[in-house]
Amino acid sequence: MKKFKKALALSLTLAMGASLVACGSDSTSTTSASGSTTAAATEAPKTEAPKTEADKTEAPTEAPTEAPTETPAPAGIAAPDTAGWTEAQKIYAYSWDDDFQKKLNVVLDKYPQYKDYVEYINLGVASEASLELIDQALESGDKYPSLIPADIGSAKYYTEDDEKTLDLKTIGFTDEMMKNDYQYAIDYATYNGQLKAVTWQSAAGSVFYNRAIAKDVFGTDDPAAIQEKIKDWDSFFAAAEELKAKGYKIVETTKDIYYAIINAHTEPWVVEEGGAEVFKPDATITEYLEKAKKLADGDYVNSVKTGDMWGGGWSGNMKDGGNVFCYFCCPWMIGVMQGNGATDGSWGACVGPTSYYWGGTYVSVGKKTNNPELAAFICYELACDPDMGVAITNVTGDAVSNKVANERLVGGEISADNNGVKFLGGQNPYGTWADAAQNIKQGAVTYQDKNYEALIAEAADGYIAGTYATVDDALNYVKEQSKVKFGIEAK
């Protein structure tokens, strides 16, 4: 299975929404994570190495206004002492763009003693293209990648490889430390019982809806009322009919609902049976095929082509005056919409018909890292420290995977210039995203599953166009192409 994974990683173009919007650099660059060349300002008190739990306890500074925290924040990984450190203790973080650097800088601003010991290497390439470059650095040992952030389309390339990355439990992480992170994210980062990555990010799905259209058709733009209108798929299609009657489309393309359905599958599609790889499609594939065709047949979309997502027409209706009611979005989508002309205050957010995730970045630690204590501490701060979670949200506008941090954000620890709140017209979306994240069901999905996305899209296009008379015919196309393209028989 590793051979198949390697070949796909280096030869296929993965359809990854998160990487499409995160790649902000067109050239390769190497910079300090802090952008500073000054010497370390202070040093943390000397503590035990992170292979044991420290006495530090992080707790909310303000009681949440909704459901209370189930248990107090657990003991964490302590900040390592830099006394005696030299250039040999310096670690390197590699990424395809500068997004992870922004989050890393929040950590380093709080702990400036580590700024001279962390260097950020922005590869400036597409996410999937970064894999080969990082592999080269792992093999050469020159500026060895200690921190390896990868988006959800590539993360399992590292988490499923015991030669490249560490089990984080061997450098101090415990189940107790992770208990305030959302279970779906923990499940995604776990392989063969090992915690192979962590994430600061909650990419919980939601629906961003056009407030002007909501008022015109439904008489309100209140998030609770809109949620009631699209609370499940039957309600969603009923709303689509109401919108059509007044000249609007509920979404831009048939592909818009893809992640909301497909990312609910809880079993891997590619498994080993009798020493051979087998493709075992589940009900989420047929559900997507059926609902995509229903959108097209009902004239509820502007484009029936699944490939039209991310095109100019798809994003054009993010501007005021568009005819599209909603986009299935995650927190990172705010930047995409703003970049495509969406006006702050013109959109609201609700969970929508189902809980799902779309995208996300997971951070692994290189197996031969020269400074496991610092790598572990940075990963702990990103994923487990609620104070850091609140800071990351307020500084970058991202949503985090720490439940305690989100409770505090819902309770009002929002900065005046928080980008999510500004974009949504004063609505605090962190409760919506926390509700969605809490209900995501994520099972043993593997790296190979992502490579079936293009085949499913082709099957949907054919089913919509009438090339395939039934949904079973469309599914058979995916099965046949699994054998043709990947050499994997379907079962």
Side-chain angles (χ1 to χ4, degrees), residues 445-458:
V445 180
T446 68
Y447 181 85
Q448 290 93 324
D449 295 347
K450 191 68 182 176
N451 299 293
Y452 283 81
E453 181 172 334
L455 299 185
I456 296 168
E458 291 165 8

Side-chain angles (χ1 to χ4, degrees), residues 469-489:
T470 67
V471 70
D472 287 338
D473 292 339
L475 182 59
N476 283 336
Y477 170 80
V478 181
K479 293 178 179 179
E480 292 164 2
Q481 290 301 304
S482 175
K483 175 63 174 177
V484 171
K485 293 194 173 182
F486 308 141
I488 298 178
E489 296 276 6

Side-chain angles (χ1 to χ4, degrees), residues 236-237 240 244 248-257 291-306 317 323-324 326 464:
F236 178 83
F237 281 101
K244 184 176 76 169
Y248 300 111
K249 307 297 184 181
I250 194 162
V251 288
E252 177 69 34
T253 77
T254 52
K255 182 71 177 290
D256 279 68
I257 63 172
K291 285 185 169 59
K293 184 168 175 58
K294 188 172 182 177
L295 282 172
D297 289 352
D299 191 26
Y300 301 138
V301 294
N302 284 320
S303 174
V304 300
K305 292 289 187 181
T306 58
N317 278 296
N323 75 331
V324 170
C326 70
I464 290 166

Side-chain angles (χ1 to χ4, degrees), residues 228-417:
E228 186 64 22
K229 294 297 297 186
I230 58 172
K231 63 184 178 181
D232 52 40
W233 288 112
D234 287 343
S235 301
F236 178 83
F237 281 101
E241 191 66 28
E242 288 185 69
L243 289 157
K244 184 176 76 169
K246 298 202 71 170
Y248 300 111
K249 307 297 184 181
I250 194 162
V251 288
E252 177 69 34
T253 77
T254 52
K255 182 71 177 290
D256 279 68
I257 63 172
Y258 178 87
Y259 297 100
I261 297 172
I262 292 294
N263 281 358
H265 78 279
T266 57
E267 296 296 330
W269 291 333
V270 177
V271 297
E272 288 190 10
E273 289 187 357
E277 292 174 331
V278 178
F279 172 50
K280 300 178 73 173
D282 72 345
T284 62
I285 298 178
T286 54
E287 181 184 357
Y288 169 68
L289 294 171
E290 290 168 346
K291 285 185 169 59
K293 184 168 175 58
K294 188 172 182 177
L295 282 172
D297 289 352
D299 191 26
Y300 301 138
V301 294
N302 284 320
S303 174
V304 300
K305 292 289 187 181
T306 58
D308 285 349
M309 190 177 185
W310 293 104
W314 177 76
S315 58
N317 278 296
M318 295 176 180
K319 298 177 182 177
D320 289 348
N323 75 331
V324 170
F325 173 63
C326 70
Y327 289 86
F328 281 75
C329 296
C330 291
W332 52 259
M333 192 74 142
I334 287 176
V336 175
M337 295 188 72
Q338 289 172 323
N340 283 290
T343 302
D344 288 356
S346 294
W347 296 84
C350 62
V351 172
T354 186
S355 291
Y356 68 101
Y357 69 92
W358 181 8
T361 299
Y362 290 78
V363 185
S364 294
V365 174
K367 190 167 186 176
K368 297 178 182 178
T369 177
N370 57 303
N371 195 335
E373 290 82 5
L374 182 55
F377 176 68
I378 290 174
C379 287
Y380 170 81
E381 284 297 303
L382 288 166
C384 304
D385 183 345
D387 289 338
M388 191 61 64
V390 171
I392 287 173
T393 298
N394 281 326
V395 171
T396 71
D398 211 347
V400 294
S401 187
N402 187 287
K403 298 175 189 175
V404 175
N406 284 327
E407 286 169 348
R408 289 167 54 180
L409 290 160
V410 171
E413 289 189 46
I414 299 286
S415 66
D417 58 352

Side-chain angles (χ1 to χ4, degrees), residues 31-42 79-80 82 85 89-93 100-121 147 374-375 377-379 381-382 385 388 391-392 395:
T31 62
S32 161
S34 65
S36 171
T37 58
T38 58
T42 59
T82 62
W85 281 15
Q89 277 70 48
K90 188 174 186 177
I91 64 174
Y92 298 87
F100 179 63
Q101 184 176 21
K102 297 172 185 175
K103 282 70 182 183
L104 183 58
N105 281 345
V106 179
V107 178
L108 295 178
D109 285 344
K110 182 176 179 180
Y111 298 97
Q113 64 267 36
Y114 303 126
K115 287 187 176 183
D116 283 350
Y117 298 106
V118 180
E119 184 172 319
Y120 193 86
I121 297 179
L147 298 176
L374 182 55
F377 176 68
I378 290 174
C379 287
E381 284 297 303
L382 288 166
D385 183 345
M388 191 61 64
I392 287 173
V395 171

